[in-house]
């Protein structure tokens, strides 16, 4: 049985109509036309504690991104392309209509459906300044307006809402962090001085954890301590947590740098910043409107911009890089053992998606270093593999059938690094179409892995490399090609991305995923994911500073799904070289039976 994952159905569409009806009763009582419910917490996090799963509780939709707009006579759930099918399956569509963001944004839906003169309520802790401006403009287009509420209206009706998490805060050892908190704070203050700000409010817990070399456990699968920090341009910083989280070890580690302060004093500290009439930086990406308004109401000037910590955190130091390499060797051995086991057991026709999750987690536990999985495993057989962010439950659990595709996207949290890997496996014989689509995805993956680009290039500029082989067949995928990844932090980390919207220039030391895919709704899905590290790349005779990628993940790619005739000689050469490196690095760390399987699974194509 999985130690770190559960498979219970946490929500049910049957509850949605009753809960939405209760919310509408509360709206009528307060004189509002509607309420907006984003998938967010007070830190605008992608992964949120159970106490902040308002969207899932209200609608039944469990995806990591989406916005519900509940009006008196209609309701919409706006989701991106990853969740189109999932949203339609999880919500009661007689009460709430799933809407594709690519076709109609939340702002456009509000502009088209809010009554003139009506008021749409919102929680100011769950929206950033830029996001709220767009929503307010949409309401104005409809002739309506937005109004904040003091208490989230979902919380008002959510009688058995879980308590906020209180996991202890622990120090993150310097051998893994690679830089002292003193040094990090000095770098942050140097950037503050350049921006001429008097204080920085750190609203992103990932940045707080990184800057002060702390870790926690408030978010499932991510070692985050939820809280805030205020870093003045000089003097001691303040770390604002629930007192139940405080530990002597964390206090000693922070030492002379900061004071631990009860979170109940946080808003008073914002008042003090405002009263000092200083210029206060609030992070544009994670800073809630409530923070801005509190400081401004006390007389302060708010400078909304980037928290400089985000970019510093994204560029890994040598200790973090070395830790990631070690973590990936350890994880690669566990994944190889799993894939060998799957090849033996799956053809018997008895394995289920949950069996696969249990087994892979068990192999990782046997490393002796696993702290947690880095996210709930995406274990999809057949049509479930066509849902990019599918999460198996006991009710959706399918058998892994012969002559079908099985996709597993999983990761691990080790103290020296975070991993994320996807492999697509055929059980039995693939169709010609499956091999064609898989090979096109593989060619896109190879194109990213082999890419060379000048300094200053963004992820958006190379995203098309991963899509070109699919485009040639009139195909594509509706998610980004790659996301950043933390160092024993979140499996999804910004600001860098390989995506159409990834505008941050890539820098040496950044880690990202490389995960193109293809999804045939109702039939099968394909994704191949490795993690990659931006590294310097020298070209003889060139006059530009160039960069490329080092691949960090080592596990076989299923050759039974590869159609070599669709590949160039250089692509085959890359695949053979990659598999040779997998054999070299992973074989010494696995048992004899897995080594024998590994030899066959990584045989040369060329």
């Amino acid at each position: 049985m999985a130690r770190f994952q559960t498979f219970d159905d946490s929500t049910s569409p049957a509850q949605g109509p009753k809960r939405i009806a209760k919310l509408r009763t509360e709206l009528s009582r307060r004189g509002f036309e509607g309420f907006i419910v984003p998938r967010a917490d007070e830190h605008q996090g992608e992964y949120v504690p159970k106490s902040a799963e308002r969207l899932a509780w209200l609608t039944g939709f469990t995806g990591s991104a989406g916005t519900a707009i509940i009006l008196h006579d209609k309701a919409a759930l706006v989701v991106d392309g990853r969740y189109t099918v999932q949203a339609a399956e999880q919500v009661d569509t007689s009460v709430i209509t799933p809407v594709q963001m690519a076709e109609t944004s939340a702002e456009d839906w509000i502009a088209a459906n809010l009554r003139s003169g009506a008021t749409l309520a919102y929680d100011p802790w769950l929206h950033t300044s830029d996001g709220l401006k767009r929503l307010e403009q949409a309401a104005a287009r409809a002739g309506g307006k937005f109004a904040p509420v003091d208490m989230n209206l979902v919380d008002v009706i959510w009688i058995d809402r879980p308590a906020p998490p209180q996991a202890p805060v622990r120090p993150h050892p310097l051998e893994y962090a690679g830089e002292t908190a003193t040094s990090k704070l000095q770098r942050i203050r140097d950037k503050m001085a350049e921006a001429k700000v008097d204080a920085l409010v750190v609203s992103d817990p990932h940045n707080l954890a990184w800057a002060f070399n702390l870790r926690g456990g408030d978010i499932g699968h991510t070692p985050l301590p939820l809280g805030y920090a205020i870093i003045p341009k000089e003097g001691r910083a303040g770390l604002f947590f629930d007192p139940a989280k405080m530990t002597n070890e964390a206090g000693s580690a922070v030492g002379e740098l900061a004071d631990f302060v009860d979170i109940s004093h946080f808003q008073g500290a914002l008042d003090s910043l405002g009263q000092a009439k200083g210029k206060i930086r609030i992070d544009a990406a994670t800073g809630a409107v409530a923070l801005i308004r509190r400081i401004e109401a006390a007389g302060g000037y708010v400078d909304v911009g980037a928290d400089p910590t985000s970019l510093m955190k994204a560029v890994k130091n040598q200790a973090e890089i070395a830790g990631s390499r070690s973590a990936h060797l350890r994880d690669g051995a566990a994944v190889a053992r799993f894939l060998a086991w799957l090849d033996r057991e799956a053809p018997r026709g008895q394995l289920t998606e949950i069996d696969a999750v249990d087994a892979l987690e068990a192999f990782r536990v046997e490393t002796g270093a696993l702290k947690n999985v880095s996210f709930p495993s995406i274990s999809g057989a057949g049509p479930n593999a066509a849902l990019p962010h599918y999460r198996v439950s006991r009710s959706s659990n399918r058998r892994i059938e012969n002559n079908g595709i099985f996709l597993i996207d999983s990761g691990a949290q080790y103290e020296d690094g975070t991993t994320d890997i996807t492999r697509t496996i055929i059980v039995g014989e693939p169709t010609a179409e499956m091999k064609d689509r898989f090979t096109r995805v593989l060619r896109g993956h190879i194109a990213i892995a082999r890419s060379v680009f000048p300094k200053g290039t963004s992820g958006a500029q190379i995203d098309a490399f991963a899509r070109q082989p699919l485009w040639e067949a009139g195909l594509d995928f509706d998610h980004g090609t790659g996301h950043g990844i933390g160092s024993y932090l979140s499996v999804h980390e910004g600001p860098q991305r390989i995506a159409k919207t990834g505008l941050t220039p890539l820098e040496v030391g950044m880690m990202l995923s490389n995960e193109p895919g293809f999804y045939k709704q109702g039939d099968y899905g394909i994704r191949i994911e490795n993690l990659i590290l931006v590294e310097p790349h020298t070209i003889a005779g060139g006059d530009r500073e160039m960069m490329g990628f080092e691949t960090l993940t080592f596990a076989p790619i299923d050759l039974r799904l590869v159609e070599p005739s669709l590949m160039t000689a250089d692509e085959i050469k890359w695949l053979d070289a990659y598999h040779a490196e997998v054999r070299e690095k992973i074989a010494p760390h696995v048992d004899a039976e897995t080594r024998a399987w590994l030899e066959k699974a990584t045989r040369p194509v060329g």
Side-chain angles (χ1 to χ4, degrees), residues 13-18 20 24 59 71-76 87-98:
Q15 295 295 324
K18 297 176 184 178
I20 290 172
R24 284 173 169 153
T59 68
L71 304 181
H72 275 301
D73 59 347
K74 62 186 72 174
E89 291 179 347
Q90 288 188 321
V91 305
D92 186 329
T93 55
S94 69
V95 175
I96 187 165
T97 303

Side-chain angles (χ1 to χ4, degrees), residues 434-442 526 528 557-558 561:
M434 288 175 179
K435 293 182 71 172
D436 177 276
R437 303 305 190 251
F438 184 92
T439 305
R440 290 180 187 278
V441 171
L442 174 59
I526 294 164
I528 303 169
I557 293 167
D558 196 342
L561 281 163

Side-chain angles (χ1 to χ4, degrees), residues 282-342:
I282 297 290
D283 183 30
T286 65
V289 171
L291 302 176
I292 298 170
R293 291 181 177 167
R294 188 86 187 202
I295 294 169
E296 289 178 340
Y301 171 72
V302 172
D303 174 56
V304 177
D307 178 346
T309 316
S310 298
L311 192 56
M312 296 178 191
K313 179 174 88 274
V315 178
K316 305 300 185 274
N317 60 45
Q318 289 305 307
E320 291 170 323
I321 292 170
S324 182
R325 288 175 178 144
S326 296
H328 277 92
L329 288 181
R330 185 186 310 118
D331 202 58
V335 171
R337 292 181 64 202
F338 164 76
L339 292 174
W341 169 86
L342 187 73

Side-chain angles (χ1 to χ4, degrees), residues 168-179:
V169 179
R170 305 288 187 190
H172 187 50
L174 183 59
E175 64 180 297
Y176 302 128
E179 182 180 6

Side-chain angles (χ1 to χ4, degrees), residues 17 40 87 174 179 221 247 252 255 268 279 411 435 439 453 492 564:
L174 183 59
E179 182 180 6
H221 315 302
T247 63
S252 298
K279 181 181 178 183
K435 293 182 71 172
T439 305
F453 45 91
H492 290 168

Side-chain angles (χ1 to χ4, degrees), residues 109-236:
W109 193 91
I110 290 169
N113 291 278
L114 185 64
R115 258 188 328 107
S116 178
T119 300
L120 188 60
Y122 70 96
D123 182 343
W125 286 97
L126 304 186
H127 298 271
T128 63
S129 176
D130 286 347
L132 183 62
K133 285 176 184 175
R134 292 193 299 270
L135 293 168
E136 287 176 330
Q137 289 167 358
R141 282 158 54 196
K145 60 181 180 178
F146 252 49
V149 292
D150 293 332
M151 181 177 182
N152 190 291
L153 300 187
V154 174
D155 297 351
V156 172
I157 63 171
W158 191 356
I159 305 302
D160 57 350
R161 180 177 169 233
Q166 296 182 334
V169 179
R170 305 288 187 190
H172 187 50
L174 183 59
E175 64 180 297
Y176 302 128
E179 182 180 6
T180 65
T182 300
S183 171
K184 291 177 179 180
L185 280 180
Q186 186 56 57
R187 289 205 285 143
I188 291 168
R189 283 183 164 128
D190 289 345
K191 289 295 182 182
M192 290 169 57
E194 290 178 17
K196 296 180 171 59
V197 297
D198 298 297
L200 169 68
V201 176
V202 181
S203 50
D204 185 346
H206 302 83
N207 290 353
L208 185 161
W210 180 85
F212 292 92
N213 289 339
L214 299 172
R215 297 295 187 268
D218 288 335
I219 301 294
H221 315 302
T222 304
L224 271 187
L226 292 181
Y228 295 89
I230 295 177
I231 302 175
K233 63 181 179 181
E234 54 188 28
R236 295 171 66 80

